[in-house]
Amino acid sequence: MIRVMWLTAFLDLPPDGHGAGSRFWSAVTGYAVSPARGEDAEFMTLLPPAGDPFVKVQRTVAVRRPDGSSPDRPSIHLDVHVPTAADITPAAETAVSLGGRIVHRSPHGYVVLHSPGGLTFCLVHERLRERPGPSRWSGDDGDHESLVDQVCLDIPADAFATECTFWADLTGWELRTSAAHPELAHLARPDGIPLRLLLQRLGDDPRDVVTAHLDLASSDRGAETRRHERLGAVVEQVHPALGWTVLADPTGARYCITDRDPRTGLVP
């Protein structure tokens, strides 16, 4: 296993959706957008008013994937932070020994990999330690809190067991399954880490690689959903018994608002 110090969710947005997506997620989180950086000004960070950042945005046209493709659909990858820059190479070797695959070694020091099921993640080092708290919202629907606090891995059925084992072995975090919902598992997040990892086994689905989406915890899912709709989101599915609502952001990327407590990440 490796020692994970922090997790960052990277929103990879195509050029025609980059502006709208950045503005939407800035408004959803209440975080300011940093000045653009990178060789082609392709990177931005969402900056919480207190605590360290854990959501970033990339315009994908400027940074092609290692295989040469330039994705035209929004996606998400993970930055997995290790203690020091010197830990990146041995961490990559550990990931490979567990079934991962290195696809790019950046001259800037980070390493890009694929999980066994094809999810892109990067091994990086950055000194981030203070997990931000929830944002509070007031309006016609009353006061409530929300927080982007989870990345859900959407996994084809035949890759589910392998992907669960890979992420549990890589992080050393305990894998917990649900008797009520055997299609779901999650990794027990250590204190201070900003993002939980949920793993979801898909049913009949044409995708053959692992993808990911963001989840928000909210103290009032209905009020939070209405707030997102006013910002340009579209509700696709509502699951009252399961405790979440599926939406699409203005770029077409799916994500969920859940009933989980935004302070603990747990179902009340």
Side-chain angles (χ1 to χ4, degrees):
M1 72 176 190
I2 65 176
R3 186 180 176 196
V4 179
M5 305 299 293
W6 196 259
L7 287 178
T8 295
F10 237 112
L11 282 68
D12 299 321
L13 302 177
D16 59 354
H18 180 263
S22 300
R23 289 190 295 271
F24 175 81
W25 285 101
S26 173
V28 160
T29 58
Y31 298 169
V33 180
S34 75
R37 64 190 184 280
E39 295 178 0
D40 297 291
E42 70 272 23
F43 298 114
M44 295 187 297
T45 299
L46 300 187
L47 302 170
D52 290 320
F54 62 98
V55 181
K56 297 184 180 182
V57 181
Q58 175 178 221
R59 190 180 67 249
T60 54
V61 68
V63 180
R64 292 181 179 271
R65 289 174 174 168
D67 62 3
S69 64
S70 184
D72 58 1
R73 294 176 60 88
S75 61
I76 289 175
H77 77 263
L78 285 172
D79 274 7
V80 179
H81 299 245
V82 295
T84 71
D87 292 313
I88 292 176
T89 294
E93 293 171 354
T94 297
V96 169
S97 73
L98 295 172
R101 180 168 63 91
I102 295 173
V103 293
H104 179 61
R105 294 183 185 271
S106 170
H108 301 292
Y110 62 87
V111 178
V112 184
L113 302 97
H114 285 167
S115 72
L119 183 75
T120 299
F121 68 100
C122 299
L123 291 169
V124 305
H125 166 65
E126 189 176 358
R127 293 187 180 276
L128 303 171
R129 296 174 180 170
E130 183 181 352
R131 179 183 175 224
S135 296
R136 187 157 194 87
W137 311 101
S138 299
D140 295 340
D141 298 317
D143 294 344
H144 70 282
E145 294 182 327
S146 66
L147 178 68
V148 174
D149 76 330
Q150 183 167 268
V151 174
C152 178
L153 277 57
D154 299 310
I155 306 170
D158 59 0
F160 185 69
T162 299
E163 203 73 6
C164 286
T165 299
F166 173 79
W167 288 103
D169 289 349
L170 182 69
T171 61
W173 300 352
E174 179 187 357
L175 180 70
R176 297 178 179 174
T177 57
S178 169
H181 301 287
E183 74 280 8
L184 298 175
H186 75 273
L187 299 178
R189 173 181 60 182
D191 291 341
I193 300 293
L195 292 167
R196 291 163 39 107
L197 287 182
L198 178 69
L199 300 100
Q200 176 176 233
R201 186 183 68 233
L202 301 176
D204 295 330
D205 193 282
R207 287 173 291 186
D208 59 359
V209 297
V210 178
T211 58
H213 69 263
L214 295 181
D215 289 341
L216 292 92
S218 176
S219 60
D220 187 330
R221 178 160 50 102
E224 181 71 358
T225 298
R226 290 188 289 275
R227 187 177 73 88
H228 286 225
E229 288 182 292
R230 288 192 291 269
L231 294 172
V234 175
V235 173
E236 293 195 342
Q237 300 172 24
V238 180
H239 299 282
L242 297 174
W244 65 71
T245 298
V246 182
L247 302 94
D249 75 8
T251 73
R254 286 184 171 181
Y255 67 98
C256 296
I257 299 173
T258 79
D259 288 333
R260 292 176 301 101
D261 186 313
R263 296 189 176 271
T264 67
L266 303 176
V267 177

